[in-house]
Amino acid sequence: MTSPAEAPVAGVGRENTDRILRMFARFTSVGYLAYLALLYPSIITTAPLMHRWWTPLAVVVVFGTGVLPGLLSFRRGTAAMRTAAAVAAMAFLAAAFTWPLAWTGAQLPGDDGVWLAAFPGLASLAGIIAWPTGVAFTHLVIGCTTVQMINLAARVNASASMLVPDITFAIMFCTLFVGGAAMALRTGRLLDATTESTRAAAAGAAAQRARAVERERFDALVHDGVIATLLTASRPVHRENVRALAATTLRELDDLHTIGNADQDIALDEILAQLRSATVDVDPSALFVVTGTETAETLRIPVSTVRSMSGALAEALRNSHLHAGPRATRTVTAALQSDSISIAIADDGVGFDHTSIPPHRLGIAVSILGRMRHTAGGSARVDSEPGRGTTVHIEWTAP
């Protein structure tokens, strides 16, 4: 029976579990080689008790398959390694089950047992690599019981009354290693599940954040474009200005349906083109000045950041049109550096006390300050005094 910690979960990675499995496969293979070296004298001693075909075949099959999992652990996948581990575990039982068929009936002198009795736990450790924990422990019980029964039959001084204690001791001793391996694998599976759930939570948070950003973009567009167009149309302004503002708003609404990579970086020329376009769309008469192009040839900014700066710039110009007065002139200055850009939208209008802006005035609070606050590396501030004009500062520095 597979425990919940062992049950494979769809979509859950296996990086930690596979790493532990590879470690155990190599440890098991090294153990087989060590036991081969240690048991070689015993194998030679007990060979005359068996038919001549059995000992060479058993040694090759048992120890040969035991080395395979470690060799295959260096491959990219783990399927072949796990299959080899299952073969190694079954090879041990096959050797134990065929021992009575090959035994000549001669008994071992002294208290030494058959060489198979020395490492049933190692074979079960190979089983834990390939099978669920319950199957591996069943293998352990069968293996320990079989080799102790062989010892009872083969040893001269063996006592039937010691069979159960010997089997119990062998099972308990081997369980220390196999149980430890099972707990390590369970920890690996839990860690994989935790890692996957953390990744899923991060992806969900990123998706929620993306939806929130898109919602803010839509809200800002409604305020910057739709409401601004309606307010402009309600005032005695030139009809051409209203038509141009409405056309820009409709184009921005259409852009909401365009799917693009907001994290893609764009180069200096395209950055300036978008900022200049945002300026001209709102105020064709505004002066657009660029400084520092010589030191900013390598400047690259994410598309989403340029979109936020363009929106804040456009909103600053719209506010200036609505509140600076009919005689005000506007200048947009973009100061460039290799890792930052600073935009100043200045007018020489009537100005205002920016500390007294009511909370319901969303043009500055949301469309300028809030928009840049939610942009990584972005910031904005408004400098204005009554009678001395207004300057909106929009800045971005590479995080």
Side-chain angles (χ1 to χ4, degrees), residues 325-371:
R327 296 183 180 180
T329 58
R330 282 158 284 276
T331 301
V332 177
T333 304
L336 308 175
Q337 295 185 21
S338 60
D339 60 350
S340 66
I341 179 171
S342 177
I343 303 172
I345 303 96
D347 66 49
D348 55 1
V350 297
F352 63 96
D353 181 4
H354 66 276
T355 62
S356 62
I357 302 174
H360 65 274
R361 290 288 300 279
L362 302 180
I364 292 178
V366 173
S367 296
I368 299 177
L369 302 180
R371 175 180 267 146

Side-chain angles (χ1 to χ4, degrees), residues 1 23 28 43 45 49 67 73 101 119 122 129 131 137 153 214 261 277 329 364 370:
M1 182 66 68
M23 179 186 67
T28 301
I43 293 171
T45 300
L49 306 181
V67 173
S73 69
L101 301 177
F119 58 98
L122 189 62
I129 298 171
W131 303 318
F137 271 99
E214 195 63 20
N261 185 358
S277 176
T329 58
I364 292 178

